[in-house]
Each structure stands twice: as structure tokens, then as C-alpha cells.
């Protein structure tokens, strides 16, 4: 339907939540290919990548009460990333994933598209956040993903404002250190 093509992602998403099948089909058309390419970058098996993306769309259609606080595209890319991490955990193939990244870097098959690099960096950040200690990670995610203030987080978790502030500060220090190392490594690889 050509009328759907002119709608924004948010408008089409609202129609889909109201049960509009054509709106869902438009979302599928807009994002299926991009999400599949994104999943293929993280999963070597194309069928697995296709299954991961299909699971995201099934979930999207089956749960009309999803609340999206960012853009629809950000939500979908994040959903794919989390689904890939689940897949990696289930298949115990992290070493294969790391090997494929190593092969990718050694072959010099660099992707110059800024959008893809930005997404990969966002994925790295998500991975590093997932490695934070549980309490620190929870506070960090409440602040960055749910956009809660330190005071709100302190009230919800029944902690002092000072504790929340210290945990946030520690999380940012850890992430800065790890991500700085990654960026230095990336620059060294690019210089070669």
C-alpha cells in the first residue's frame, strides 16, 4: 500500500499496534533486509541470522503493547543484538564469533560505511555494559536506557543517592577504559 510508505516509522508502528496488518507488512519491508544484514555481521550462518530476524518480527507482531522510548529502528537493532547474544549463549559459539571477527580484520575487508561502524560500536558498548557487575549494570541501564535520574534510581532500588552516583561513576570509568582500549586497537589496525 503506497499510503503506508509515506508514513513515519512512529506512525506506522502505532497503526501496527492497533492491529493493522498492512502497517506490520510495511515495517517488515522497511527493516527486514537491514536487520538481516546486521545479524549476518554477527552470526556466520545465514539461516541462523534469518531466524533471529524472523523471531524479532514475530515478537513485534505478537506483542502490541510494546513501549518504544527511542526510534523504532534503534529498538529493532537492539532487539536483534540481544537475540544474537542469546543465540551465542545457547550455541556456545562465542569463540567462532571472535574468530570470524579476527579473520575479518586480518583479511582487510574493512567496511567503510559509517552507519555500520556506529552500530558495531553500539554493540560493543552493549556487550561491555553486560559485563559490568550486576548492581552497577542495573543502575547504569536504569540511567541510560530508562532515562531515570539518580534520585529516581535511588528510590526504586532503596539506595542512597551517593551510592547510585558512585556506581554510575564507576560504570563510566570501566566503560571508558575498555572502550578507549578498543578505539586504540582499531586505530592501530587502520594504520597498518
Amino acid at each position: 500500500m503506497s499510503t503506508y510508505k509515506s508514513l513515519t516509522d512512529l506512525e506506522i508502528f502505532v497503526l501496527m499496534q492497533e492491529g493493522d496488518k498492512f502497517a506490520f507488512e510495511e515495517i517488515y519491508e522497511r527493516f527486514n533486509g537491514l536487520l538481516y544484514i546486521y545479524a549476518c555481521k554477527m552470526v556466520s550462518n545465514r539461516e541462523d541470522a534469518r531466524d533471529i530476524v524472523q523471531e524479532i518480527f514475530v515478537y513485534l507482531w505478537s506483542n502490541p503493547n510494546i513501549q518504544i522510548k527511542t526510534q523504532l529502528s534503534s529498538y529493532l537493532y537492539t532487539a536483534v543484538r540481544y537475540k544474537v547474544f542469546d543465540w551465542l549463549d545457547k550455541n556456545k559459539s562465542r569463540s567462532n564469533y571472535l574468530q570470524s571477527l579476527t579473520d575479518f580484520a586480518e583479511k582487510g575487508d574493512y567496511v567503510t560505511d559509517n552507519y555500520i561502524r556506529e552500530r558495531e560500536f553500539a554493540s560493543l558498548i552493549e556487550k561491555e555494559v553486560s559485563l559490568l557487575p550486576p548492581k552497577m549494570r542495573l543502575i547504569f541501564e536504569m540511567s541510560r536506557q530508562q532515562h531515570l535520574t539518580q534520585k529516581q534510581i535511588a528510590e526504586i532500588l532503596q539506595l542512597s543517592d551517593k551510592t547510585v552516583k558512585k556506581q554510575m561513576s564507576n560504570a563510566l570509568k570501566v566503560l571508558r577504559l575498555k572502550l578507549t582500549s578498543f578505539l586504540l586497537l582499531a586505530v592501530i589496525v587502520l594504520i597498518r
Side-chain angles (χ1 to χ4, degrees), residues 11-20 23-24 27 60-61 64:
E11 292 168 330
I12 204 88
F13 179 72
V14 169
L15 289 172
M16 186 211 68
Q17 286 187 305
E18 293 170 354
D20 188 328
F24 173 76
I27 290 172
L60 190 66
W61 178 250

Side-chain angles (χ1 to χ4, degrees), residues 36-37 39-41 43-52:
Y36 173 69
I37 291 167
C40 284
K41 299 260 182 233
V43 176
S44 58
N45 184 308
R46 294 186 185 275
E47 286 303 313
D48 289 331
R50 191 178 325 280
D51 290 346
I52 286 167

Side-chain angles (χ1 to χ4, degrees), residues 22-109:
F22 297 112
F24 173 76
E25 289 173 359
E26 177 62 26
I27 290 172
Y28 184 86
E29 278 188 42
R30 285 184 191 184
F31 293 102
N32 181 51
L34 294 170
L35 294 176
Y36 173 69
I37 291 167
Y38 182 61
C40 284
K41 299 260 182 233
M42 296 182 282
V43 176
S44 58
N45 184 308
R46 294 186 185 275
E47 286 303 313
D48 289 331
R50 191 178 325 280
D51 290 346
I52 286 167
V53 172
Q54 292 307 311
E55 285 182 43
I56 298 303
F57 282 111
V58 168
Y59 180 82
L60 190 66
W61 178 250
S62 322
N63 294 282
N65 296 324
I66 295 172
Q67 297 295 316
I68 295 181
K69 296 182 181 178
T70 60
Q71 294 181 358
L72 177 60
S73 60
S74 297
Y75 173 84
L76 292 172
Y77 279 101
T78 301
V80 168
R81 188 168 46 252
Y82 282 126
K83 188 59 81 175
V84 166
F85 289 151
D86 287 345
W87 179 87
L88 290 171
D89 283 341
K90 288 177 186 166
N91 292 290
K92 306 288 185 212
S93 61
R94 282 194 173 151
S95 60
N96 292 342
Y97 174 64
L98 292 174
Q99 184 59 48
S100 71
L101 282 178
T102 303
D103 292 345
F104 180 75
E106 288 175 355
K107 290 176 185 170
D109 191 16

